Amino acid sequence: MFKPSMYQKNIFTIPYTKLKKGDIKCLVFDLDNTLALIDEKKCPSEVCDFIKELKEQFLVVILSNNNKKRIEPYCHSLEVDGVAWAMKPFSKGLKRIQRKYHLKKEEMVIIGDQLMTDIKAGNRFGIKTILVDPLGKKDLKITKFNRILEQRMLQRLKEKNLFEKGEYYE
């Protein structure tokens, strides 16, 4: 439930060519600490430029547990759709994206920085999952709690030789 399909340092190191060859059509990005720091009010220019390049080959959507006011500036500047109040680890937001864009599960991937929300939601829904390292150390209050649970889960995964933080893989 918590092991990602892929683990990369950040959004820039993901092998998107491999995803495209694997018939991925939709990249679902988490916002906070995946695309931007939690206190950034606007999209960093390097992320904007990068997402615009990705949009030439993929449908890009932001899926966030945060509110609409938080994600709208990013959706607007990136010219992408977004789903706020996604309630990850539940798969409601992913189902909404799938239905709206008539996607098959095998055409979708979720990219995020948290095992307890992003990865669990994607695995529950049955799509590919990509974990990236958080951009910053600062988190929302609820995320701080999730990070404690995440550390416990990471320890269990490591003990079972299933996953280890810092060992990136495709």
Side-chain angles (χ1 to χ4, degrees):
M1 188 63 66
F2 294 99
K3 185 178 183 218
S5 309
M6 185 184 297
Y7 174 43
Q8 293 291 313
K9 186 169 181 59
N10 57 50
I11 65 165
F12 301 106
T13 62
I14 295 169
Y16 294 98
T17 304
K18 183 177 180 179
L19 295 178
K20 191 69 175 171
K21 286 180 184 173
D23 294 325
I24 295 296
K25 294 181 179 173
C26 178
L27 306 174
V28 180
F29 284 96
D30 172 54
L31 176 58
D32 292 317
N33 270 332
T34 300
L35 292 178
L37 296 170
I38 68 163
D39 50 6
E40 284 182 312
K41 301 289 185 226
K42 64 180 199 169
C43 190
S45 60
E46 65 274 6
V47 172
C48 284
D49 294 342
F50 189 66
I51 296 296
K52 285 180 183 172
E53 285 179 31
L54 289 176
K55 285 178 13 186
E56 293 173 13
Q57 297 184 55
F58 299 97
L59 167 65
V60 175
V61 181
I62 293 174
L63 180 71
S64 177
N65 283 351
N66 217 319
N67 60 47
K68 198 171 184 178
K69 183 180 175 187
R70 168 73 177 139
I71 75 166
E72 274 184 340
Y74 289 86
C75 293
H76 180 73
S77 65
L78 295 171
E79 297 177 348
V80 299
D81 194 6
V83 177
W85 302 112
M87 296 180 59
K88 298 175 286 183
F90 300 107
S91 56
K92 180 181 163 187
L94 291 167
K95 285 178 190 169
R96 196 166 141 200
I97 294 166
Q98 182 192 28
R99 278 194 306 267
K100 182 174 183 176
Y101 293 103
H102 310 288
L103 296 161
K104 298 175 188 167
K105 289 181 180 182
E106 51 275 2
E107 296 173 330
M108 300 172 68
V109 65
I110 186 169
I111 302 161
D113 69 298
Q114 290 188 62
L115 284 180
M116 306 310 287
T117 56
D118 307 310
I119 302 308
K120 187 174 181 182
N123 286 341
R124 269 181 147 171
F125 190 56
I127 64 173
K128 284 184 175 43
T129 57
I130 301 175
L131 180 69
V132 295
D133 291 334
L135 291 175
K137 297 209 183 287
K138 187 176 179 185
D139 277 317
L140 300 170
K141 287 178 185 175
I142 186 68
T143 306
K144 288 178 184 178
F145 175 72
N146 282 342
R147 296 281 185 208
I148 293 167
L149 297 176
E150 184 176 275
Q151 287 306 313
R152 291 181 185 160
M153 183 53 61
L154 286 168
Q155 186 60 40
R156 284 192 203 133
L157 291 170
K158 184 179 178 180
E159 288 168 3
K160 294 178 181 181
N161 290 321
L162 293 173
F163 178 77
E164 187 169 347
K165 199 90 184 223
E167 291 186 15
Y168 303 108
Y169 63 88
E170 293 179 24

